[in-house]
Amino acid sequence: MIRQLQSLPRGPRMLIFFLMFGGIFLALAGGTVLLILLSVNSVPRQTAQALAEGAAVAEYATLADNDAYPSTVAVGPDGTVYTASYRTGTVWAVDADGATREIPNSRERFESVTGLAVRPDGDLLAIAFTGGDNGSWAVWRATPAGEISLFGTVDDAQGFVSPFDIALDNTGAVYVVDRSRADVWRWDADGGNPELWWSLLTAPQSIVRLPDEPVPTFAARPAPTGLAFDPIHNAMLVTDPDLNTIVRVPLSRGASELLYYYDPTLDSQAFPPGFDGIAMLTDNQIVVTALDQKGLVLFRGGAPYVGSPPSYIAGNFRGPSDVAVLPDGRVVVANFDSLALAQPGVSPQLPFGLDVVTLP
């Protein structure tokens, strides 16, 4: 065979050589990728752990679906916990004993859900995508019995692009943050009077103030994702995982306050937290998920937390994308586990579920 190859003209010999070399290279590359995927997928299921004295972490509930990907969590007035699937749009209710039931019609009506909030009357508000390839995002209202109706849309030329979180103020008005648009929209409690309520499209330092400190300069484009109502200051709290900031925006839309920004020059490890989900506690404390570090951060008191690295009270979550507060003061964390969505061949660490954290 070698003599036959040698007898061929130079062009065919070169082609055969490159084909052989390319085949060997692809086989080695494919084997390497396979070994990496086998290594990643053989990692035992991560279990969240307490990192601060007095804190405790336990599994609150598991979801039966292998494609649940719970991106959001909310708590009703009666303590019922709600979560929903980013992948399928299914919405679940979790009782105090951890028993899970599916909200009727949610699986059939929604294709993806990124945010949930519970109205004072017990109905749900969901940021959901519907309509297939030509579909769109909107805010929907759902009763626990599964009656679903449209609540609100953004009807300008752009519409919702990447809505991420939803919150209600003390009047029942509804707020939704859109990551791609870098803004917050507002509706009255009945779904009327939609308006662009707050925007980060301008430079962040021009619309936030930092008391008694120089205003930091941000290189990244704003991309807010987390939203929570602060009843103590009558304001909305907004997180941005790209800027690593927490901003307090008064409902009056007066001067906003930069509560926290991550300054890597003050962190010898330089591990940005990637703040995402946020909730306000009744004692003026703020709890925030650090998606990039798989952790949960507790900020105490009302003063700004400027620059210093955050202190984690719990860690090793499987993608902590959202957090909500139970009536007894514990917090529920959603394990989004979105790595399997972003990287082909990577499997989620089943079962999907929610964790509960007892704060120190």
Side-chain angles (χ1 to χ4, degrees), residues 152-184:
T153 60
V154 171
D155 295 327
D156 63 7
Q158 191 174 21
F160 275 136
V161 180
S162 298
F164 256 73
D165 205 358
I166 184 171
L168 279 63
D169 67 16
N170 56 353
T171 70
V174 179
Y175 301 76
V176 172
V177 61
D178 190 305
R179 175 171 183 149
S180 294
R181 294 185 57 143
D183 57 26
V184 177

Side-chain angles (χ1 to χ4, degrees), residues 85 87-91 102-113 126-132 135-143 146-151:
S85 172
R87 186 67 177 269
T88 68
T90 307
V91 181
E102 190 172 307
I103 298 298
N105 302 317
S106 61
R107 184 184 297 267
E108 294 78 17
R109 193 67 175 272
F110 303 145
E111 296 169 44
S112 178
V113 173
I127 306 171
F129 184 87
T130 60
S136 60
W137 293 95
V139 181
W140 296 80
R141 181 173 178 173
T143 69
E147 298 176 4
I148 297 175
S149 58
L150 183 64
F151 177 85

Side-chain angles (χ1 to χ4, degrees), residues 261-310:
Y261 75 96
Y262 172 78
D263 188 347
T265 64
L266 300 179
D267 186 355
S268 60
Q269 303 298 320
F271 295 140
F275 291 134
D276 195 3
I278 185 169
M280 185 78 183
L281 305 176
T282 56
D283 55 358
N284 203 23
Q285 299 186 96
I286 300 171
V287 63
V288 190
T289 63
L291 185 60
D292 291 350
Q293 299 306 321
K294 303 179 181 180
L296 188 68
V297 179
L298 178 66
F299 291 115
R300 300 181 182 277
Y305 308 90
V306 179
S308 58

Side-chain angles (χ1 to χ4, degrees), residues 143-267:
T143 69
E147 298 176 4
I148 297 175
S149 58
L150 183 64
F151 177 85
T153 60
V154 171
D155 295 327
D156 63 7
Q158 191 174 21
F160 275 136
V161 180
S162 298
F164 256 73
D165 205 358
I166 184 171
L168 279 63
D169 67 16
N170 56 353
T171 70
V174 179
Y175 301 76
V176 172
V177 61
D178 190 305
R179 175 171 183 149
S180 294
R181 294 185 57 143
D183 57 26
V184 177
W185 284 74
R186 180 190 181 280
W187 293 259
D188 291 344
D190 61 359
N193 297 318
E195 63 169 329
L196 176 59
W197 181 74
W198 187 71
S199 178
L200 262 173
L201 288 178
T202 55
Q205 54 264 39
S206 70
I207 62 172
V208 298
R209 61 181 175 85
L210 190 62
D212 304 321
E213 294 285 346
V215 175
T217 299
F218 301 108
R221 181 189 185 276
T225 60
L227 195 63
F229 177 55
D230 176 354
I232 297 175
H233 299 89
N234 200 34
M236 282 291 161
L237 301 174
V238 185
T239 63
D240 190 316
D242 288 5
L243 300 182
N244 281 295
T245 57
I246 302 173
V247 176
R248 180 187 287 145
V249 187
L251 296 191
S252 64
R253 286 177 277 199
S256 302
E257 184 178 10
L258 183 61
L259 291 184
Y260 182 90
Y261 75 96
Y262 172 78
D263 188 347
T265 64
L266 300 179
D267 186 355

